[in-house]
Amino acid sequence: MKITIHRGADQIGGCITEICSESGNKIFIDLGHNLPSESDEPDKYDNPTTLSTLLEGVSAVVYTHNHGDHAGFFAHIPEDIPQYMGAMGREVMQNSLEEQLNTAQRAGRTQRAEEVEGAIARLNKFRTYATARTFHIGDIAITPYFVSHSAADAHMLLVECDRKRVLHTGDFRDHGFTGKGLTPTLARIGQVDALIIEGTTLSRDGSASKSEYQIQQEMLELMGRYKNIFVVCSSTNFDRLAGLYQDTLKIGRPFVCDQYQKHQLNTLSKYTGKFTSLYNIQNAWTISLNNNALHKRMFEQGFTMVVRNNANFRKWIGFIKEHIDLAETICIYSQYLGYLEEQPSLREFVDSFGCKVEYIHTSGHASPEAIEEVCRTLNPRSAIIPIHKDATSDFHTLNLPDELKAKIIAADTAQLGIPI
Ligand SMILES: [Zn+2]
Ligand SMILES: [Zn+2]
């Protein structure tokens, strides 16, 4: 078996890992876009020639989860290469693309609408996998294991061939609502020959990560002090949305979102609501300018409203602000702080609320302590291959025994390919 990190060994995002068996069967794990924050240059694979050269001889692409820095090129992959993802993660992507299609059609952007239609058609051909169910691509066996992350339906992938076992962690954490499942999952996987593992927090959000329970408590405390709560957060960060929803229910106010967010929450409830009431979100209200029953409740009782930076929300927020006291109102900024620097229009959107703004957020990525736990528990026989980390972060700074530190593979070696 040979592992090649085509991209991601010395940058966060843009992940592309190749695993090739002795017989020459080659699969990719993730094929992601560069994050805008990581590079100012256009992505070199945003080009049919470089992408098809990269994909030569690849028999499948298996995604750990649906974030763009892992699955960003899916629409451009030739149809004869099968692509795999968890069923819920695939549906979340479909909801998002349908929203993009509606937006493009409403704006009369025909070319953009056609592009999105093409992406939806490609997504419809995805094959889906389920946690702990092994599937085969030629002589390579893959077993996905569900793991907590800020994306819906993220998985670690155990890849086995040539009597070798490799775990690719994708993006993960142990401080989400389902994070306590990490330790038993690692015990189930057992020892591996090589571990490909993310290291985002060695440079980014490196402070001790708060748990989603702590975040939920902080939100609840603010709901006790403020009547009206606007929350800027991702529509697919389901731990955050579920925590907010349950807090809002507890305090007896309406939880308000738009059609698209409601659609995403319906997908969450459909796939996971039967396992836990936390993710069963049945009573979210949909905002509009003529829903008088909702307006009456909002202005009397207060509300929690999840907002996004777009023209519709600006219109709705403008209307709501005419009916509420801004001294009783707070805007919670609940996503990566760096976006405020990278996106001036987002900064302007947050400023436009005219009320107090508070930052409450925790990372979607593994803390250094969680990374150490995974390395120690899986105790790889030959290699620890760091990915999804910036060029200056060094796994040798982690608190690991010397015999494990000796197995850490440098980025330039990983890019050339490592025989396992
Ligand atoms: Zn990522
Ligand atoms: Zn991710």
Side-chain angles (χ1 to χ4, degrees), residues 127-396:
R127 300 180 188 185
T128 57
Y129 60 63
T131 189
R133 298 262 176 90
T134 303
F135 61 97
H136 293 83
I137 298 162
D139 57 355
I140 298 177
I142 298 160
T143 313
Y145 288 97
F146 172 81
V147 75
S148 174
H149 176 45
S150 49
D153 207 23
H155 293 81
M156 293 182 164
L157 299 175
L158 177 67
V159 182
E160 295 170 284
C161 69
D162 307 328
R163 297 168 307 286
K164 301 285 177 171
R165 313 177 81 230
V166 174
L167 188 80
H168 188 299
T169 66
D171 292 349
F172 75 100
R173 60 177 177 172
D174 68 352
H175 55 276
F177 287 131
T178 53
K180 61 181 180 300
L182 180 64
T183 303
T185 296
L186 297 175
R188 195 168 174 186
I189 292 167
Q191 192 174 24
V192 296
D193 294 284
L195 173 64
I196 305 164
I197 180 166
E198 74 130 312
T200 317
T201 62
L202 267 59
S203 62
R204 195 207 261 191
D205 296 332
S207 56
S209 299
K210 287 181 194 170
S211 71
E212 282 295 336
Y213 288 106
Q214 283 171 283
I215 296 292
Q216 191 185 5
Q217 283 308 312
E218 287 179 21
M219 302 265 198
L220 186 63
E221 196 264 323
L222 280 182
M223 285 178 197
R225 284 166 41 210
Y226 292 88
K227 183 179 170 190
N228 313 307
I229 319 273
F230 292 108
V231 187
V232 181
C233 93
S234 158
S235 306
T236 56
N237 186 343
F238 289 141
D239 271 10
R240 195 63 44 82
L241 293 169
L244 268 172
Y245 175 79
Q246 301 300 348
D247 280 352
T248 308
L249 230 55
K250 223 175 275 173
I251 219 135
R253 292 180 187 149
F255 179 89
V256 186
C257 59
D258 78 341
Q259 283 275 341
Y260 164 64
Q261 288 158 336
K262 176 122 176 151
H263 205 172
Q264 292 290 25
L265 292 172
N266 287 345
T267 295
L268 172 71
S269 304
K270 179 174 116 186
Y271 282 92
T272 62
K274 57 181 177 288
F275 301 116
T276 163
S277 57
L278 172 69
Y279 294 141
N280 197 9
I281 298 178
Q282 300 294 341
N283 294 308
W285 292 76
T286 309
I287 189 71
S288 73
L289 285 184
N290 49 25
N291 189 343
N292 294 332
L294 172 61
H295 299 160
K296 189 168 182 301
R297 282 198 62 175
M298 287 174 74
F299 303 147
E300 280 177 14
Q301 300 170 357
F303 56 85
T304 299
M305 180 167 166
V306 185
V307 299
R308 301 199 304 289
N309 177 21
N310 69 25
N312 276 337
F313 273 104
R314 283 168 188 256
K315 184 177 67 190
W316 292 322
I317 291 160
F319 165 75
I320 292 165
K321 275 170 62 181
E322 288 171 15
H323 297 85
I324 59 173
D325 181 354
L326 287 179
E328 296 180 324
T329 305
I330 191 161
C331 169
I332 303 175
Y333 181 80
S334 192
Q335 56 188 16
Y336 176 52
L337 214 44
Y339 296 147
L340 282 178
E341 285 154 35
E342 292 158 21
Q343 302 169 30
S345 104
L346 180 63
R347 159 66 67 190
E348 190 239 307
F349 177 65
V350 171
D351 290 344
S352 76
F353 286 90
C355 60
K356 187 173 161 52
V357 178
E358 193 127 333
Y359 169 68
I360 301 184
H361 183 53
T362 190
S363 173
H365 296 277
S367 63
E369 293 75 25
I371 296 170
E372 289 161 6
E373 186 200 342
V374 175
C375 292
R376 279 203 207 94
T377 309
L378 298 185
N379 188 24
R381 288 183 193 91
S382 8
I384 294 175
I385 306 166
I387 59 164
H388 210 281
K389 62 168 229 8
D390 76 7
T392 57
S393 301
D394 184 354
F395 267 46
H396 289 90

Side-chain angles (χ1 to χ4, degrees), residues 36-69:
S37 54
E38 289 293 304
S39 170
D40 294 334
E41 288 173 18
D43 195 307
K44 68 175 174 179
Y45 298 121
D46 257 337
N47 171 313
T49 314
T50 47
L51 187 63
S52 64
T53 307
L54 177 74
L55 284 164
E56 237 161 66
V58 170
S59 52
V61 182
V62 186
Y63 298 109
T64 56
H65 65 290
N66 61 16
H67 276 159
D69 58 316

